[in-house]
Amino acid sequence: MQKLTDSGLHPEQMLASLPAFLTRIEVLAEEMKLSLADYQADHIALRVNDWEVAEALHQSWLAYGDEWSNNEINGRPIIVIGFHQPLQVGRWSIEALELPYPGSKSYPQEGWEHIEFVIPAKAKNTDELKDVLDAAFPQLNWEELADKGIKVKASSPSGEKERLPNPTFAFKKGGVCIKLHPCSLKDVIESEEK
């Protein structure tokens, strides 16, 4: 636990830093002309580079919620913890935490990394999701994003037993990332059990 506190990653420290992180997310959304007020902030994710730290975080966050899923994706465990009390952050109520154990990639900064928002749709792949996003956010100018230093990544991550496609677009700048996908993590996890 001391290692978590020393690195500023103890859950209490992370919760205290949440408002500042959300402000950075809102600034990025504003820069992209993404109006996310009416959408569910599905889950929040953090990133760490050390396996022992990930294990300590995994155990520490269980005081705040129940483990919904422990799934191997891209060769590493991804833990999802559903909060006992959803985190109230600004106008959003966030119901889950995503904690990936470290893989081969090293992150320049550890801590909060992204918030994923649900843009409800039946999109089965990233092309279909892009059409949904174009309709939902007509002001989003894809061509301008690179000029603004915003990196865009489309992906279709999935666990072995998932039955629900959940393509994702990630928009990243300045150490924060907004991800948009059509299904909540809870729905995806429940699809595994069917």
Side-chain angles (χ1 to χ4, degrees):
M1 285 299 255
Q2 191 60 44
K3 195 171 189 179
L4 292 184
T5 305
D6 291 347
S7 55
L9 293 170
H10 186 279
E12 289 300 318
Q13 293 168 303
M14 297 294 298
L15 291 168
S17 71
L18 206 45
F21 178 72
L22 181 69
T23 298
R24 294 171 65 209
I25 289 282
E26 289 176 324
V27 166
L28 177 57
E30 204 171 287
E31 187 176 0
M32 294 169 54
K33 299 183 177 76
L34 274 185
S35 178
L36 296 168
D38 296 332
Y39 295 98
Q40 176 191 357
D42 176 42
H43 68 274
I44 189 163
L46 55 87
R47 297 286 187 258
V48 292
N49 295 320
D50 182 273
W51 194 275
E52 278 181 38
V53 168
E55 287 177 330
L57 279 170
H58 185 173
Q59 294 313 306
S60 297
W61 278 105
L62 287 173
Y64 299 83
D66 299 316
E67 188 172 294
W68 285 357
S69 173
N70 182 338
N71 220 340
E72 190 152 311
I73 298 175
N74 298 332
R76 63 188 175 148
I78 308 274
I79 310 304
V80 178
I81 294 172
F83 296 118
H84 295 141
Q85 285 289 346
L87 300 183
Q88 292 304 134
V89 189
R91 68 185 78 211
W92 292 285
S93 178
I94 301 174
E95 65 181 2
L97 168 75
E98 178 186 87
L99 169 61
Y101 274 64
S104 56
K105 183 178 177 182
S106 186
Y107 292 91
Q109 64 190 48
E110 296 182 297
W112 296 126
E113 199 250 359
H114 71 257
I115 295 180
E116 290 201 33
F117 294 87
V118 177
I119 313 303
K122 298 259 188 259
K124 291 186 217 55
N125 56 51
T126 53
D127 289 339
E128 289 179 12
L129 180 57
K130 185 173 184 306
D131 292 341
V132 168
L133 297 180
D134 286 341
F137 307 108
Q139 298 84 5
L140 174 60
N141 187 332
W142 296 83
E143 288 73 35
E144 285 181 357
L145 297 178
D147 294 338
K148 293 180 176 183
I150 299 168
K151 291 182 183 165
V152 180
K153 182 181 174 188
S155 63
S156 294
S158 66
E160 199 180 308
K161 299 176 192 139
E162 288 173 16
R163 301 286 171 258
L164 197 59
N166 205 19
T168 303
F169 272 92
F171 303 90
K172 194 172 204 171
K173 181 179 181 180
V176 295
C177 180
I178 293 170
K179 292 191 178 187
L180 306 176
H181 57 180
C183 305
S184 75
L185 212 44
K186 191 175 203 175
D187 288 344
V188 172
I189 290 165
E190 285 173 358
S191 80
E192 295 172 3
E193 294 162 6
K194 291 181 178 159

